[in-house]
Amino acid sequence: KKLQSDFPKIGAPALRALHHANIKNLAQLSRWQKTDLAGLHGMGPKSLRILHRALTKNKLTFKHTK
């Protein structure tokens, strides 16, 4: 089954990592810190860069540490 979301084209392992973390769209992604996402199995540096660009394009950002 195809996952419908506003995510850009990223690898299947990274997409599965988001799915397993119950992150369904960029708005939900913006509630995560980049370091926490990097720790997800299947999430690599390239996918993080692509997701970061997509967030920026949509005027969103990764959650910042307090």
Side-chain angles (χ1 to χ4, degrees):
K1 74 182 186 211
K2 183 97 175 76
L3 294 173
Q4 274 308 112
S5 72
D6 55 354
F7 292 129
K9 185 162 172 40
I10 56 174
L15 203 54
R16 279 194 301 272
L18 293 172
H19 178 69
H20 288 301
N22 209 25
I23 303 170
K24 295 180 173 67
N25 53 47
L26 291 174
Q28 289 178 353
L29 181 70
S30 70
R31 296 184 206 130
W32 280 66
Q33 291 179 25
K34 196 173 187 175
T35 51
D36 293 334
L37 281 169
L40 296 177
H41 179 75
M43 185 62 66
K46 183 179 178 187
S47 293
L48 282 171
R49 282 195 306 275
I50 294 169
L51 290 169
H52 184 260
R53 276 199 299 268
L55 285 173
T56 303
K57 200 169 114 184
N58 289 276
K59 296 179 175 42
L60 293 167
T61 161
F62 286 119
K63 181 181 173 186
H64 296 290
T65 25
K66 302 246 179 324

